[in-house]
Amino acid sequence: MNIPIVFGILIELLNSKQVKSSYLAEKFKVSTRTVFRYVNVLAEAGIPICSQTGKNGGISIIPDYKLDAMYFTKKEMKDLVSAIEILKIDKPDFANYEVLTAKLNATANCSTACNILESDKIVVDGGAWGDLKKYRSKANVIEQAINKSESVTIEYHDRGNSVSVREIEPYLFLLKNSVWYVYAYCRLKQSFKTFKLSRITKIAPNDTPYEKRSFPQNKPWTLGSDSNEPTVELILNCSHKVRYDIEEWLGIESVTVENDKCTARAEIKENAELIGKLLSFGNEISVVSPKRIKDKIYDVCKSIIASYK
């Protein structure tokens, strides 16, 4: 894979509303097949890319998307500055040289309280960024291990209160439903696993390098990934007070407003987390269907009321 071309395609997409694959192929002297392969690489890296077929189709990035400075490590920022300086030598009339280098240097040297993870090995999977400060020491050890491709040993408490000591090869951080995970290859289970940072009680670097492994096809941040949980068509009535929260949860296309009435309809996994999520909205929503979900919520509410008597 040619990283400079991947980066060049990203810049083209950021600077244009829509780009033809044939244009990118001609510009970077590659085949259209290669263009689409590199576009898929960007999509897997978390760039929200849209592709439309037809006469007026093309490749684009969703409107208002901005590339976060944390997408680059400090070293990569400084490498960009060096590249611009080389370009300045080749093209003395290069416009905006001073402005670009000043901005990149400022970003590379930035060290704010919220910029806890300086690595580019971060995947964001919905939800708010959350508070990683209480995990700072664990996150720092893992981040350094990711940057050096070295394994770490962790003591992990799972939800069943089982404690195990594992040697893992960390690859990236994952934020899912406001919970931080580390995605790693577990040598004990001999497979890729996600580990909650909050359930890691002890961690120690091993200073032992590992060879990069290929990710499995089904990754935890991929839609319809490695879960066998059944899905259900959920229909809700919701108040305008929580309408936008429902849109962010289920997707804006899942919510319709008609005659001042908000209705949400979505195919969603049916599990214990779903019941908890629905209860978190209190009386601002009501489940229309399926009936078994309504019954579960009713039973939980009865149990809650009974515990306060």
Side-chain angles (χ1 to χ4, degrees):
M1 182 172 63
N2 192 316
I3 297 299
I5 293 180
V6 175
F7 180 73
I9 291 174
L10 174 60
I11 297 303
E12 285 288 334
L13 294 174
L14 287 169
N15 291 332
S16 308
K17 287 185 177 179
Q18 194 174 64
V19 181
K20 294 284 188 182
S21 60
S22 56
Y23 166 80
L24 293 173
E26 183 178 352
K27 180 177 178 66
F28 296 105
K29 309 300 181 188
V30 295
S31 66
T32 54
R33 182 177 179 180
T34 298
V35 167
F36 283 115
R37 183 160 57 90
Y38 287 172
V39 166
N40 284 336
V41 169
L42 293 172
E44 289 183 359
I47 307 299
I49 290 177
C50 302
S51 181
Q52 293 181 318
T53 58
K55 183 179 179 180
N56 298 319
I59 304 168
S60 62
I61 293 178
I62 63 170
D64 301 325
Y65 174 78
K66 291 181 175 61
L67 187 65
D68 197 302
M70 285 180 67
Y71 188 82
F72 301 100
T73 62
K74 287 186 178 181
K75 182 180 182 301
E76 288 169 337
M77 283 291 185
K78 290 176 180 177
D79 286 346
L80 283 173
V81 173
S82 299
I84 291 173
E85 288 172 348
I86 293 171
L87 184 58
K88 174 66 175 175
I89 296 172
D90 292 337
K91 295 185 178 181
D93 59 343
F94 179 41
N96 297 325
Y97 164 75
E98 288 80 7
V99 175
L100 282 172
T101 52
K103 286 184 176 181
L104 286 171
N105 276 320
T107 305
N109 295 324
C110 168
S111 180
T112 59
C114 63
N115 197 15
I116 296 168
L117 296 173
E118 297 172 351
S119 170
D120 60 346
K121 308 297 190 299
I122 300 175
V123 171
V124 178
D125 187 3
W129 277 100
D131 180 11
L132 195 61
K133 292 180 181 179
K134 58 186 177 180
Y135 308 135
R136 182 187 293 272
S137 60
K138 289 184 279 189
N140 285 344
V141 172
I142 292 170
E143 182 189 1
Q144 291 175 22
I146 290 172
N147 292 335
K148 296 178 181 178
S149 294
E150 293 179 347
S151 65
V152 297
T153 299
I154 63 171
E155 182 179 275
Y156 194 73
H157 291 236
D158 65 20
R159 292 187 65 177
N161 204 31
S162 175
V163 182
S164 59
V165 176
R166 303 166 182 243
E167 188 175 354
I168 64 171
E169 303 168 3
Y171 280 74
L172 50 81
F173 289 95
L174 169 66
L175 180 66
K176 186 174 179 63
N177 294 333
S178 302
V179 177
W180 281 100
Y181 298 80
V182 58
Y183 186 62
Y185 182 83
C186 176
R187 292 181 177 176
L188 176 66
K189 299 295 184 179
Q190 296 187 350
S191 62
F192 279 92
K193 299 288 183 182
T194 51
F195 299 94
K196 287 184 179 180
L197 263 66
S198 60
R199 291 191 171 276
I200 296 175
T201 52
K202 295 179 183 178
I203 184 168
N206 293 329
D207 300 323
T208 304
Y210 62 82
E211 293 291 329
K212 291 285 187 180
R213 304 173 189 266
S214 298
F215 284 178
Q217 183 176 3
N218 291 330
K219 298 175 281 292
W221 57 88
T222 305
L223 292 176
S225 60
D226 53 358
S227 173
N228 293 320
E229 294 170 340
T231 60
V232 62
E233 185 182 40
L234 181 69
I235 303 177
L236 308 172
N237 287 331
C238 59
S239 71
H240 285 279
K241 185 177 178 180
V242 296
R243 169 189 167 185
Y244 299 108
D245 294 320
I246 297 293
E247 287 178 347
E248 290 175 3
W249 174 37
L250 299 177
I252 192 169
E253 69 281 354
S254 299
V255 179
T256 57
V257 181
E258 188 174 343
N259 297 327
D260 205 37
K261 179 182 177 182
C262 294
T263 303
R265 183 190 298 264
E267 191 79 15
I268 194 167
K269 290 179 181 177
E270 184 177 353
N271 51 28
E273 285 76 14
L274 173 59
I275 302 301
K277 184 69 174 180
L278 292 170
L279 288 169
S280 71
F281 293 104
N283 62 356
E284 300 296 336
I285 68 166
S286 61
V287 176
V288 177
S289 71
K291 184 177 182 299
R292 64 179 178 277
I293 300 294
K294 294 173 64 175
D295 292 342
K296 285 182 181 178
I297 292 176
Y298 180 78
D299 291 340
V300 172
C301 289
K302 279 179 61 178
S303 177
I304 293 173
I305 291 171
S307 68
Y308 282 91
K309 287 184 177 180

